[in-house]
Amino acid sequence: MNLGELASDLKLEEEELSELFDLFLKTASPELIELQSALIGKNAWSAERMAHSIKGAAGILGLMEIHDAAKRIEMAARMNRLEEVEVDLRVIKKKLETIDEALKGRS
Amino acid sequence: MKKKILVVDNHPVVLKFMSQLLEKEGHQALTAEDGLSALEILKTFTPDVIFIDLIMPHIGGEKLCQIIRKVPSLKEVYLIILSAIAAEQEIDYASFGANACIAKGSLDKMAKHVLAALEQANQETGVLHPPKTIGIEDVYARNITSELLSVKKHFEIILNSMAEGILEITPEGKIVYTNPKAISLINQTEDQLLALDFTGLFLESDRQGIKDHLMEIHLTLQPIAVNGPLMLNGKQVALHLLPVIDESQRSIIVILTDVSEQKRMEAQLIQAQKMEAIGTLAGGIAHDFNNLLMVVQGNVSLMLLDVNSAHPHYEMLRMIEKQVLSGSKLTAQLLGYARKGRYALRPIYLNQLVTDTSEAFGRTRKNITIHQDLAKNLFTCEADQGQIEQVLMNLFVNAADAMPEGGDFFLRTANVNFSEIKGRGYIPKPGEYVLLTVTDTGVGMDSKTIDRIFDPFFTTKELGRGTGLGLASTYGIVKGHGGYIEVESEKGRGSTFKLYLPASGKPAQQTVKSSAPISKAIGTVLLVDDEEVILDVSEKVLKVLGYKVLVARGGVEAIEIFKKHQDSIDLVLLDIIMPHMGGGEVFDRLKEVSPEVKVLLSSGYSIDGEASKIMARGCDGFIQKPFDIMQLSQSIRAILR
Ligand SMILES: Nc1ncnc2c1ncn2[C@@H]1O[C@H](COP(=O)(O)OP(=O)(O)OP(=O)(O)O)[C@@H](O)[C@H]1O
Ligand SMILES: [Mg+2]
């Protein structure tokens, strides 16, 4: 993941973008944990809302892979088909890790 | 041009992005995470432009705009809506006071649109732009939000149709949502309520308690029911406080239930039970007193037979008799209140009774002018004449007491249909009624007094002047007759009592009061009572009258004696309330033995209607204890004639 490229895509300074990503990680990570425990606890309602929130923030930052995965989880949760979300959950987790590494690599 | 800007959005990433962008452009930007904190900031900060997210917790964008527009100092602020749902739904942002709307999208596009909107704000001077959302074409993810929207609408419809008031408040007690029912219960507009301190809606004295509950819920996260009830806008309400834990915030849902009506019913029920209990007690006391007075009366009667008016004890005995009479008036009031002592129901003509009673009354109060307006063709009503006389006397005496300097006294009668008795606390039973209106021009009453006048022992009169039983017994008697009583009065404006008695179709019966002197009688009387003293005195009285007397100390003994001597027994004088076998059963057994048997009932009272039930089964007469020698003589003669 190249932050510089993405920053220029979004027409932002690299510095600014990393601040936004940092903030995104800080809000999305606990939401992801909550999402996981909602899935384990079969709490579709809570899962839906967590996914919705992650999706919104990812969309704003142009993180379309996370956005799309979160969107599928949100839909599945609404239909109460929690068993379908395993793959998407892993996508989100992986992507968040990548962002985390990219941010660490910078500093 | 450098601007002061406030950004309100619940996502930190958006806030961060916006402040980066705006500060880079040289503006001063503050941020708030929800509507409530925005309002807090606006207390001290007057921006030129506010960006407002449409969907937020703790007062959403639409409400926030409306509230801002009501603040005079914020009238000129340029309001820009940030919306993720703009693409799915036509947002009529002008209707809630916003100047522009930007569709949320990815940051690069949004940056462009934000700057464009600011440019627009620069050019416009208060003129509203035709509503057109900027940047819709750049938005993705349409379908989900549109579904979300319909879910939101669905919940809104449910909340709007709830019969309970529902509020959402922050842990600090600030109102951030109200449903329509809550608005109508509290009777303030939504704008007034939002951001208001919830506890402030209640009475000063209740506030700390509510604050404590909020604190408790914050700590325990357990729901709390406050059944208080608490006063809110003149109503009694119960509260249910439910903690809501969201991913980002905590809030409390308050369910407001109007329990005024329920509490009123409960109070009424308790009052009714209390009255019932007092009634039973009063009735029991009256019964025992009547028996006791019976013994005094009987003995005095016997003694008076032996002394002439010159005897030194004559006046004293007369005095005792008078006191017995006052005593029995008192017990009659108690029985009336207890709704007991209704012995002889028969059709009576109220006009006649009103005329007779008021005439007798008028003779004692010369300074009161009585006006009568009595309906012709008045229906009869089935009533106990003695009790209705008692009611009239109570009303008359009260009116006279209210006019110590004299005055006017109006008596009106009329036929009314139940449908004309409306708008009262009760629903009258269908049918025709006879209405008696009693109006005086006396001192009147304030509403506090009116509330209590039918309570037993409530009196405003000095000790010894009133017992407070007059209206209590009046009420009991009227109720006992299936009627209703109402009062209208104002302090200094006189009083009006209205009495409704159910009409009867039967023609009135005239009562003939024979005043035959006591003369030696012949015949045998079987005397039945469970009390030794009563038996003793009654036996003596009967013997004085000339009767032969057989004595039975209870129901079983009475039947035995009657079987043995039925040919010689002319009349049975039968007490109603006795242990083991009551008068009712004795009466039936006697009738089995001999259908021709003549029975005169006597009682200190009867369990409601017991006497009338026996009368209805063909009993020949009833005499109320305490009776004197003359009354007994007349009652027996009336049967044996
Ligand atoms: N016509 C009236 N005008 C003003 N006040 C009245 C009138 N009738 C009743 N009241 C008020 O209602 C109270 C209760 O009346 P109620 O007849 O039950 O008792 P009382 O007259 O005080 O005593 P009692 O009738 O037992 O001698 C009175 O003390 C008086 O204050
Ligand atoms: Mg009175």
Side-chain angles (χ1 to χ4, degrees):
Chain A
M1 177 171 190
N2 186 333
L3 268 183
E5 232 169 68
L6 203 74
S8 80
D9 268 2
L10 290 175
K11 304 210 170 49
L12 287 171
E13 304 282 325
E14 212 180 306
E15 180 62 40
E16 289 171 344
L17 188 68
S18 77
E19 266 182 53
L20 288 177
F21 275 8
D22 192 45
L23 202 57
F24 172 67
L25 274 186
K26 284 207 178 91
T27 53
S29 307
E31 283 171 349
L32 186 69
I33 293 171
E34 182 122 8
L35 174 58
Q36 279 175 308
S37 67
L39 293 174
I40 293 165
K42 303 241 180 297
N43 185 345
W45 181 71
S46 173
E48 180 188 336
R49 295 197 318 159
M50 289 305 125
H52 178 73
S53 184
I54 294 172
K55 182 201 72 182
I60 290 171
L61 288 174
L63 303 167
M64 295 321 284
E65 276 172 283
I66 299 183
H67 173 273
D68 293 346
K71 176 175 161 180
R72 282 190 296 272
I73 297 178
E74 184 184 7
M75 294 289 255
R78 182 163 327 140
M79 308 295 186
N80 204 9
R81 291 205 296 255
L82 298 182
E83 63 285 351
E84 291 176 7
V85 306
E86 197 46 49
V87 179
D88 286 318
L89 195 65
R90 242 180 288 138
V91 170
I92 296 176
K93 227 170 166 175
K94 191 102 200 105
K95 282 286 154 193
L96 289 182
E97 272 162 24
T98 321
I99 295 171
D100 194 29
E101 272 158 26
L103 284 177
K104 282 204 186 102
R106 253 179 46 88
S107 52
Chain B
M1 197 175 69
K2 186 176 173 325
K3 282 193 165 57
K4 294 203 281 178
I5 299 176
L6 175 64
V7 184
V8 194
D9 194 299
N10 67 318
H11 207 290
V13 170
V14 173
L15 290 181
K16 184 82 200 173
F17 162 72
M18 288 292 283
S19 46
Q20 278 176 354
L21 177 71
L22 296 168
E23 272 158 17
K24 213 161 30 171
E25 293 289 315
H27 302 296
Q28 182 197 358
L30 296 189
T31 61
E33 289 211 354
D34 56 42
L36 197 60
S37 14
L39 288 173
E40 201 54 44
I41 291 173
L42 288 172
K43 280 183 189 160
T44 52
F45 178 69
T46 309
D48 305 303
V49 177
I50 309 179
F51 287 93
I52 299 176
D53 186 15
L54 202 54
I55 298 175
M56 292 183 291
H58 289 180
I59 308 186
E62 184 174 340
K63 287 280 139 56
L64 185 60
C65 287
Q66 287 167 345
I67 296 173
I68 287 173
R69 281 302 179 220
K70 296 239 164 71
V71 181
S73 61
L74 297 175
K75 277 242 153 52
E76 299 300 315
V77 182
Y78 198 82
L79 298 180
I80 303 169
I81 296 291
L82 293 172
S83 168
I85 60 166
E88 287 76 33
Q89 197 186 2
E90 191 71 37
I91 295 170
D92 186 9
Y93 56 85
S95 74
F96 45 84
N99 304 74
C101 178
I102 297 175
K104 273 190 191 170
S106 70
L107 296 181
D108 55 334
K109 314 257 167 53
M110 238 175 101
K112 204 171 69 199
H113 300 316
V114 165
L115 298 178
L118 279 180
E119 191 54 37
Q120 191 174 306
N122 249 342
Q123 288 156 13
E124 276 179 36
T125 42
V127 196
L128 279 183
H129 208 66
K132 185 178 173 305
T133 303
I134 307 167
I136 290 190
E137 51 292 342
D138 298 328
V139 179
Y140 48 86
R142 306 192 168 184
N143 44 356
I144 286 194
T145 32
S146 95
E147 271 179 55
L148 259 185
L149 267 181
S150 67
V151 171
K152 179 171 177 269
K153 275 218 187 88
H154 181 65
F155 285 139
E156 231 167 64
I157 290 169
I158 293 176
L159 284 167
N160 287 357
S161 47
M162 298 278 288
E164 288 83 13
I166 296 182
L167 299 166
E168 184 186 2
I169 61 178
T170 63
E172 296 74 38
K174 291 256 193 282
I175 300 173
V176 292
Y177 169 82
T178 79
N179 76 341
K181 181 67 189 187
I183 292 171
S184 73
L185 265 177
I186 304 169
N187 195 24
Q188 293 193 27
T189 65
E190 186 176 26
D191 295 343
Q192 288 169 327
L193 285 176
L194 292 178
L196 204 68
D197 178 34
F198 172 68
T199 46
L201 297 172
F202 296 88
L203 298 180
E204 188 78 52
S205 51
D206 290 335
R207 289 181 195 162
Q208 191 54 47
I210 298 172
K211 281 193 189 125
D212 292 346
H213 285 311
L214 295 184
M215 183 52 103
E216 189 186 333
I217 232 178
H218 189 59
L219 295 174
T220 63
L221 296 178
Q222 294 298 316
I224 295 177
V226 187
N227 291 320
L230 302 165
M231 289 306 289
L232 176 63
N233 178 36
K235 301 183 179 83
Q236 294 182 296
V237 296
L239 302 182
H240 280 86
L241 306 171
L242 312 169
V244 176
I245 310 142
D246 216 323
E247 54 270 21
S248 56
Q249 49 155 10
R250 285 177 173 190
S251 67
I252 297 168
I253 297 290
V254 182
I255 303 177
L256 278 177
T257 322
D258 185 352
V259 292
S260 313
E261 183 62 10
Q262 183 196 337
K263 291 288 162 194
R264 204 181 53 76
M265 305 269 274
E266 277 172 18
Q268 250 178 17
L269 189 67
I270 291 172
Q271 178 70 1
Q273 286 169 339
K274 210 164 72 188
M275 290 297 163
E276 174 90 30
I278 298 177
T280 311
L281 183 71
I285 292 174
H287 168 257
D288 289 359
F289 257 83
N290 276 346
N291 277 329
L292 199 143
L293 291 171
M294 176 70 243
V295 178
V296 178
Q297 177 63 59
N299 283 303
V300 171
S301 292
L302 289 169
M303 288 161 88
L304 276 169
L305 288 176
D306 292 337
V307 300
N308 62 31
S309 55
H311 194 279
H313 288 168
Y314 181 81
E315 282 308 320
M316 290 184 245
L317 290 170
R318 278 277 175 231
M319 182 102 88
I320 295 174
E321 257 197 330
K322 249 182 150 168
Q323 292 301 307
V324 169
L325 192 66
S326 310
S328 69
K329 277 199 179 133
L330 203 62
T331 53
Q333 298 280 54
L334 284 172
L335 286 175
Y337 172 65
R339 299 191 200 175
K340 293 182 173 156
R342 215 157 28 91
Y343 302 114
L345 286 189
R346 51 190 183 78
I348 59 165
Y349 193 49
L350 195 63
N351 281 351
Q352 187 61 47
L353 211 59
V354 167
T355 310
D356 292 350
T357 318
S358 67
E359 242 169 47
F361 176 71
R363 280 196 295 273
T364 63
R365 310 283 169 120
K366 291 261 164 22
N367 58 353
I368 291 173
T369 318
I370 301 177
H371 308 266
Q372 291 190 350
D373 174 12
L374 306 180
K376 297 197 180 72
N377 307 321
L378 192 70
F379 296 129
T380 57
C381 31
E382 269 191 271
D384 182 308
Q385 174 158 342
Q387 286 202 319
I388 299 300
E389 274 170 8
Q390 191 181 329
V391 164
L392 297 178
M393 282 313 281
N394 284 331
L395 294 177
F396 295 176
V397 171
N398 283 347
D401 286 350
M403 301 186 287
E405 313 293 324
D408 290 286
F409 186 43
F410 300 88
L411 295 167
R412 271 180 227 104
T413 56
N415 292 326
V416 292
N417 184 265
F418 78 101
S419 59
E420 294 163 61
I421 319 174
K422 300 188 271 234
R424 317 301 207 279
Y426 56 85
I427 300 155
K429 267 207 191 125
E432 300 295 329
Y433 287 80
V434 172
L435 166 64
L436 169 67
T437 312
V438 178
T439 302
D440 65 57
T441 51
V443 294
M445 292 170 271
D446 55 23
S447 61
K448 261 200 177 138
T449 305
I450 294 179
D451 283 345
R452 300 196 51 196
I453 53 174
F454 296 115
D455 289 0
F457 308 112
F458 172 78
T459 180
T460 58
K461 297 169 190 172
E462 64 205 60
L463 204 69
R465 285 269 291 127
T467 56
L469 279 173
L471 289 178
S473 68
T474 297
Y475 185 86
I477 290 170
V478 172
K479 280 275 144 197
H481 281 79
Y484 304 94
I485 184 165
E486 286 171 6
V487 57
E488 279 164 33
S489 184
E490 250 177 75
K491 191 116 201 107
R493 295 255 166 135
S495 310
T496 294
F497 285 84
K498 287 186 174 173
L499 227 82
Y500 297 90
L501 292 174
S504 145
K506 300 179 189 157
Q509 292 168 5
Q510 283 298 318
T511 39
V512 267
K513 273 194 180 157
S514 71
S515 49
I518 307 174
S519 55
K520 274 283 179 213
I522 24 171
T524 302
V525 174
L526 171 58
L527 179 61
V528 192
D529 207 304
D530 59 312
E531 276 189 66
E532 202 59 52
V533 271
I534 301 251
L535 285 174
D536 183 56
V537 71
S538 306
E539 183 182 0
K540 284 181 186 150
V541 170
L542 285 167
K543 280 186 174 156
V544 165
L545 288 174
Y547 295 104
K548 282 208 193 101
V549 184
L550 297 169
V551 174
R553 279 170 184 75
V556 182
E557 196 180 331
I559 291 157
E560 263 169 36
I561 297 177
F562 185 74
K563 276 183 183 155
K564 237 183 257 168
H565 303 280
Q566 54 171 300
D567 294 334
S568 60
I569 292 174
D570 300 290
L571 180 125
V572 182
L573 180 54
L574 179 61
D575 185 31
I576 298 178
I577 309 285
M578 291 183 295
H580 310 309
M581 193 190 285
E585 193 180 343
V586 177
F587 173 77
D588 294 339
R589 298 274 191 92
L590 294 176
K591 278 277 172 194
E592 276 169 27
V593 177
S594 160
E596 263 79 62
V597 62
K598 300 265 188 249
V599 179
L600 176 60
L601 289 174
S602 85
S603 182
Y605 80 76
S606 86
I607 19 174
D608 201 10
E610 179 69 19
S612 9
K613 277 188 211 149
I614 305 173
M615 293 296 286
R617 298 207 292 272
C619 187
D620 304 275
F622 175 85
I623 187 164
Q624 162 94 61
K625 292 180 194 169
F627 44 82
D628 63 19
I629 203 162
M630 183 76 118
Q631 289 164 331
L632 182 62
S633 163
Q634 281 169 2
S635 296
I636 296 178
R637 275 162 190 274
I639 295 171
L640 293 184
R641 202 169 2 159

